[in-house]
Amino acid sequence: MTSYTICVFTENSIGILNKITTIFTRRRINIESLTVSETERKGISRFTIVIRSESREAVEKLVRQIRKIIEVLAVFGYLNEDIAYNEIALFKVSTPIGAKPLDIETINKVYKAWVVYWHLTYVIIQKTGTEEEIFEFFDYIKPHEILEFVRSGRVAVSKSPQTLVDYLPEAEWEYYQ
Amino acid sequence: MGFNENQTATIHGSEPVVSVAKPELINGSHAVIQSLIAEGVKTIFGYPGGAIMPVYDAIYDYQDQINHILVRHEQGAAHAAEGFARISGEVGVCLVTSGPGATNLVTGIADAIIDSTPMVCIIGQVASHLLGTDAFQETDVMGITIPITKWNYQITTPDEIPEIIAKAFYIAKSGRPGPVLIDITKDAQQKLMTKPFVHKKTETLLSYHPRIAPKDEQLAAAAKLINQAKRPFLFVGHGVQIAGAEQELLQFIEKTDVPAASTLLGLSSMPVDHPNYVGWLGMHGNYGTNVLTNQCDLIIAVGMRFDDRVTGDLNRYAKQAKVVHIEIDPAEIDKIVKADAPVVGDAKKALEMLLPLVNENNHEAWRAEFRKYDAIEDQKITQPELAPTTEKIKMAEVIRTLSDKTKGEAVIVADVGQHQMMAARYYQFKKPSSYITSGGLGTMGYALPASFGAKVGAPDREVVAIIGDGCFQMTIQELGTIAQSGLPVKIIILNNNFLGMVRQWQQLFHQKRYSFVELQNPDFITIAKGFGIDGHTCAKREDLHASLDKMLASDKPYLLEVLVEKEENVFPMVPTGACVADIRLE
């Protein structure tokens, strides 16, 4: 199974998420993660969808079906090497009195993770990175007892020098603010 | 509280609706109708109800400009709009209420998307403050119809109406056509627009750009394959008629001398008596077209999508052939069959641009191979069907007699099943846009409503619906619509007291275990007469000519029931999952 990152650029309108996900549902393709936000261009949303597939051909067909949605401006399918990508994870880790203290230096310097909230009995650590990096850190911090763990969807941009606007129809694109 | 219907009430008890109206401002309902008129709509197929009542109130004022046909069930509205669209090339329009009105349209919308039929469905919705509250007759029609519409949109303010309706018509008709649904909340229908009504047709959208003219390099690659091919085979799909490319198709075929076969929905794109026409493709298509699909060296597919009923087993489908695929929808390229030379564009434009690039050719020897198979099929199937020795009338002879009497020029609207396949096989189409049927979805009950829709779209043509006894009872109530509108549709029921196609499959693949396929039918003629429609039953072969003459002579709607052989099968047949070359003759 290969991971594919599908970036979908759409008009920012009600119901568009439904229109996109139904394309996956119908073909029984599971969405591993999904992130949506407005792009640097006003009114254009970017969906970053990660799926796994054994067939590049199936992913290409999927991309063409997504492109058929009227509100969709552009769709790109990427392999991991085509993109710079990251996720963000938050770990709520138990730190009761008397327990083995956290090695903050290792957390910071080795794992590039940061404590973002201190409590008497726990801390919240933020770690950004790839899925693999996040799970490496997961294994490291596990002995301290993970009370809660949450991981975002992937965000990704293409390594290609072309920008989004190169692919969009000609228009006066305003910056998002 | 809601609001009452007398246009002086308030929404949410506070916002005045009409009482403070500036005289030049119209409400949403009038905007709907005026937008439809601006889009050139002359006929609406619909059914009123609570959530669409303001629009119906507005129609009352425009009866001199808009003809509204009151169907008996919303499914009938959808199929009628499809029949209208398929024959006229214009957008069919449905108008129905929320909840059950909307869900009753769903079958027709699903039918329209798979058969690329342009349709705009305007649906009433509960008032916007009630959305999501499980209000009376509320249903999430937006959610329901996402997978079966080309586009859908919910309008909650009257100011959106002209722009969204313009967009709907543009999307429904352009590129690969399809159904568009607009859900309008009741308050948006009732409230006044805040600015004067202006309807401007849409000709372009930011995110939607169907490619009409193919790229030169794609055409060049296609022309190269076509010029090199020794045994090219052209497939005519529905896209030819949608694009109005019949003339360009003939020019292309005559210059290159390729044999051409049609898909089910491509039927009638070229005359059946054309020397290059070799029949139709697929499950019940012709013997030669199916066998030789696996012997050609090039498939030139024009406006077709390699439906599984055409290809049979894909692992054994035309593996020896290169493929030129001319198609307006890029998502169809490589979807089923890998194209060696895809040509993305409109069929008319593509053929027009391809014509100067292809060489004049002669494929007489290759075309003659089809005739060898034709001779076998003729002897084993066609002649026994058309000149039967059995006592009971056969479906094929009814169709062929009708074909002769109408000179192959009638519009045939076929329902779904054995009669559909018989109509496709034995009617000898001479004119374009003459075979209207539910191809992709296979919707039983399609033909009766689609036939009066077709008659509205082509009032000067003879429209004959060919319907099985099972299908007829799925939308039998539309006889009422036909009677009320006075549309002189001719209806032939081929009655074998069976769900014939299912019975055929049970016979061939389920050891004759005829599970729930025999019908106890009503007296169809009495029912028709109850609706005020004349008709009679033909039970004997010697009465067939006179019966058809009587039906065709009528200038009113007419129902002819023909009692046909009970256990008859449609052959040739490519069983599901079999290879096209393994087509069965018995």
Side-chain angles (χ1 to χ4, degrees), chain A residues 8-77:
Chain A
V8 187
F9 297 91
T10 75
E11 289 178 32
N12 188 359
S13 60
I14 292 172
I16 184 69
L17 173 65
N18 240 342
K19 290 183 182 183
I20 291 172
T21 54
T22 192
I23 306 263
F24 291 77
T25 311
R26 213 181 138 189
R27 288 163 185 79
R28 294 190 58 79
I29 297 171
N30 188 46
I31 291 175
E32 302 290 327
S33 83
L34 167 67
T35 309
V36 192
S37 65
E38 198 158 33
T39 63
E40 73 280 12
R41 307 289 153 171
K42 207 171 180 178
I44 298 183
S45 294
R46 177 185 190 123
F47 288 67
T48 308
I49 303 169
V50 181
I51 60 165
R52 291 188 220 287
S53 177
E54 282 171 355
S55 157
R56 184 190 170 107
E57 203 187 330
V59 179
E60 285 173 3
K61 287 179 190 178
L62 178 83
V63 163
R64 279 199 282 267
Q65 292 295 335
I66 298 170
R67 182 65 189 87
K68 277 183 80 166
I69 299 168
I70 299 290
E71 292 90 342
V72 168
L73 292 121
V75 193
F76 304 95

Side-chain angles (χ1 to χ4, degrees), chain B residues 238-297:
Chain B
H238 188 196
V240 169
Q241 287 177 58
I242 292 172
E246 291 90 347
Q247 283 309 317
E248 290 75 8
L249 179 79
L250 283 183
Q251 286 171 357
F252 179 87
I253 287 170
E254 283 163 10
K255 186 172 182 189
T256 55
D257 196 33
V258 292
S262 168
T263 66
L264 182 74
L265 290 193
L267 282 173
S268 80
S269 300
M270 63 185 290
V272 291
D273 53 5
H274 192 281
N276 287 69
Y277 184 71
V278 292
W280 66 297
L281 296 158
M283 183 172 269
H284 292 290
N286 289 105
Y287 189 33
T289 56
N290 278 295
V291 172
L292 294 175
T293 292
N294 271 11
Q295 293 178 30
C296 64
D297 63 359

Side-chain angles (χ1 to χ4, degrees), chain B residues 274-346:
Chain B
H274 192 281
N276 287 69
Y277 184 71
V278 292
W280 66 297
L281 296 158
M283 183 172 269
H284 292 290
N286 289 105
Y287 189 33
T289 56
N290 278 295
V291 172
L292 294 175
T293 292
N294 271 11
Q295 293 178 30
C296 64
D297 63 359
L298 178 70
I299 288 172
I300 309 161
V302 187
M304 58 87 74
R305 58 187 180 86
F306 293 102
D307 180 70
D308 55 274
R309 288 302 203 248
V310 163
T311 64
D313 180 8
L314 273 174
N315 295 320
R316 290 177 287 162
Y317 180 73
K319 289 292 172 197
Q320 80 296 341
K322 293 215 178 304
V323 175
V324 170
H325 194 175
I326 300 173
E327 169 59 51
I328 198 158
D329 179 358
E332 288 300 331
I333 302 292
D334 297 345
K335 188 183 87 175
I336 308 290
V337 170
K338 189 99 183 130
D340 298 279
V343 177
V344 178
D346 169 83

Side-chain angles (χ1 to χ4, degrees), chain A residues 12-175:
Chain A
N12 188 359
S13 60
I14 292 172
I16 184 69
L17 173 65
N18 240 342
K19 290 183 182 183
I20 291 172
T21 54
T22 192
I23 306 263
F24 291 77
T25 311
R26 213 181 138 189
R27 288 163 185 79
R28 294 190 58 79
I29 297 171
N30 188 46
I31 291 175
E32 302 290 327
S33 83
L34 167 67
T35 309
V36 192
S37 65
E38 198 158 33
T39 63
E40 73 280 12
R41 307 289 153 171
K42 207 171 180 178
I44 298 183
S45 294
R46 177 185 190 123
F47 288 67
T48 308
I49 303 169
V50 181
I51 60 165
R52 291 188 220 287
S53 177
E54 282 171 355
S55 157
R56 184 190 170 107
E57 203 187 330
V59 179
E60 285 173 3
K61 287 179 190 178
L62 178 83
V63 163
R64 279 199 282 267
Q65 292 295 335
I66 298 170
R67 182 65 189 87
K68 277 183 80 166
I69 299 168
I70 299 290
E71 292 90 342
V72 168
L73 292 121
V75 193
F76 304 95
Y78 298 113
L79 289 165
N80 285 352
E81 58 261 36
D82 302 329
I83 47 175
Y85 62 97
N86 256 331
E87 294 171 0
I88 183 164
L90 296 175
F91 296 78
K92 191 192 276 183
V93 178
S94 177
T95 54
I97 296 160
K100 186 185 166 199
L102 288 174
D103 179 356
I104 295 297
E105 196 172 339
T106 304
I107 290 172
N108 289 166
K109 290 194 174 160
V110 178
Y111 291 100
K112 307 275 188 292
W114 316 103
V115 175
V116 292
Y117 182 77
W118 297 89
H119 187 265
L120 273 178
T121 58
Y122 64 86
V123 293
I124 298 173
I125 305 170
Q126 172 189 302
K127 163 77 188 143
T128 55
T130 63
E131 185 182 346
E132 293 71 27
E133 288 164 346
I134 286 169
F135 280 104
E136 268 173 41
F137 183 67
F138 189 104
D139 287 339
Y140 166 76
I141 206 75
K142 201 161 53 180
H144 289 277
E145 194 189 354
I146 298 169
L147 301 172
E148 277 188 60
F149 165 67
V150 61
R151 193 158 68 90
S152 74
R154 179 180 285 189
V155 289
V157 286
S158 147
K159 289 176 183 169
S160 153
Q162 282 171 299
T163 67
L164 167 62
V165 179
D166 294 329
Y167 298 101
L168 294 181
E170 282 176 32
E172 292 291 319
W173 296 106
E174 275 179 66
Y175 270 92

